[in-house]
Amino acid sequence: MKHLLSRVVCKNSDEKQKALAELQNICNQCKACALCNTRTCTVFSDGKADAPIMLIGESPGPDEDAAGKPFVGRTGQLLNTFLAEAGLDRENDFYICNTIKCKTPQSRVPTNEEKRACQPYLFGQISIVRPKIILLCGTTAMHTFVDEDLKLTDIRGKWLNIFDDIEVMAIFPPSYLLRQHSTEPNTPRWFTKKDLEKVKATLDDLTL
Ligand code: URA
C-alpha cells in the first residue's frame, strides 16, 4: 500500500520544530476518542525534529502516560540498549512517537476507531519531520501502513515500499523482546540486532 504525504515542506529544523509544536498543541486538547477521558496527558514525541530516523511504536503505557514521553521505563531502556549496540544514537538520530498518543486502559491494543482518530497527528508528524528512515515498531504501527493480513514475523527486517522518498522497515517491539531472552541465532533478539545493524548501514549510506 503506497501512502502520500502532505506537500507542506518545512525547510529547516526551526520550521519543523514550530510546525510540530503547533500540531502538539492541537493534540494536547484532542477529544476525538474516549481515551481523552483516561489519559494523564497526551504523549506526542521525543527526539529531534530533523532526525534522520523516525521510530513509531504502538501507544503509551503507564510509564509514558506519567512522563509525557514515549518509550521510557523498561521498554525504553531495552530499546536504548538495542539502538546503542547497533551504533545508533537515540538522542541524535531519532524522532520517536507512537501510533496513538494516549494510553489505553490496561495497555490493551488500540481499536481501529482510536487509530483512525489519531492518524492526522501521526501523518502530520511524518510530513513535518520527513525522516530518511521510518521504523515501525510492532504490529500496530506496521498495520497503519501495510495490509492487515501481513504478519510482523514475515516482513520485519525488509525495506518496505510505502513512501517514495522514505525507507521503511518493521521491527520487533521492545515489549515483545522483554519476554524473549535468548540471543541465539534466529531468535527475536538476534533478528532485531541484525535489523538495526541494517538500519545503521543504510543511515550511513544516506547521510554520507
Ligand atoms: N512505550 C511506548 O511509548 N510505545 C510502545 O509502543 C511501547 C512502550
Side-chain angles (χ1 to χ4, degrees):
M1 203 191 312
K2 273 269 186 188
H3 284 267
L4 291 175
L5 292 173
S6 140
R7 288 276 137 222
V8 179
V9 174
C10 295
K11 289 195 280 298
N12 54 43
S13 174
D14 284 351
E15 284 190 14
K16 288 183 185 192
Q17 271 174 40
K18 190 161 171 276
L20 287 168
E22 281 167 15
L23 188 60
Q24 181 167 8
N25 207 13
I26 299 169
C27 180
N28 287 345
Q29 298 161 52
C30 183
K31 293 197 162 67
C33 79
L35 295 179
C36 66
N37 298 318
T38 45
R39 71 182 178 221
T40 305
C41 60
T42 60
V43 177
F44 192 71
S45 68
D46 185 34
K48 290 171 68 173
D50 58 351
I53 307 177
M54 181 168 191
L55 182 141
I56 307 173
E58 179 178 282
S59 57
D63 289 332
E64 288 78 16
D65 177 66
K69 262 191 186 189
F71 287 102
V72 295
R74 287 174 71 220
T75 51
Q77 276 165 20
L78 188 61
L79 176 67
N80 296 349
T81 303
F82 268 91
L83 296 181
E85 279 176 7
L88 294 162
D89 175 356
R90 172 166 174 162
E91 269 196 24
N92 288 303
D93 294 336
F94 284 84
Y95 177 87
I96 298 183
C97 64
N98 281 305
T99 309
I100 69 160
K101 313 306 184 202
C102 297
K103 170 176 83 80
T104 59
Q106 281 79 48
S107 298
R108 63 156 169 73
V109 175
T111 64
N112 286 339
E113 192 191 336
E114 289 159 357
K115 286 192 280 181
R116 254 193 312 276
C118 236
Q119 264 201 12
Y121 303 118
L122 179 61
F123 279 81
Q125 288 171 301
I126 299 172
S127 300
I128 295 165
V129 176
R130 296 255 166 189
K132 295 186 189 311
I133 293 171
I134 292 180
L135 296 182
L136 305 173
C137 198
T139 302
T140 296
M142 181 187 86
H143 281 159
T144 304
F145 299 92
V146 303
D147 288 349
E148 293 265 336
D149 50 3
L150 289 171
K151 291 199 168 61
L152 181 57
T153 40
D154 294 334
I155 66 167
R156 56 128 282 282
K158 298 181 179 143
W159 292 116
L160 306 172
N161 187 17
I162 291 172
F163 298 109
D164 280 339
D165 50 356
I166 305 175
E167 304 286 343
V168 181
M169 183 191 285
I171 58 170
F172 286 127
S175 51
Y176 175 63
L177 299 176
L178 275 176
R179 291 177 269 123
Q180 307 288 325
H181 298 287
S182 173
T183 52
E184 293 297 308
N186 302 321
T187 59
R189 284 192 182 224
W190 184 86
F191 281 130
T192 302
K193 183 171 181 285
K194 297 282 163 211
D195 294 348
L196 291 173
E197 286 168 2
K198 193 166 163 181
V199 170
K200 168 67 175 153
T202 298
L203 176 68
D204 288 348
D205 280 352
L206 291 172
T207 52
L208 265 186

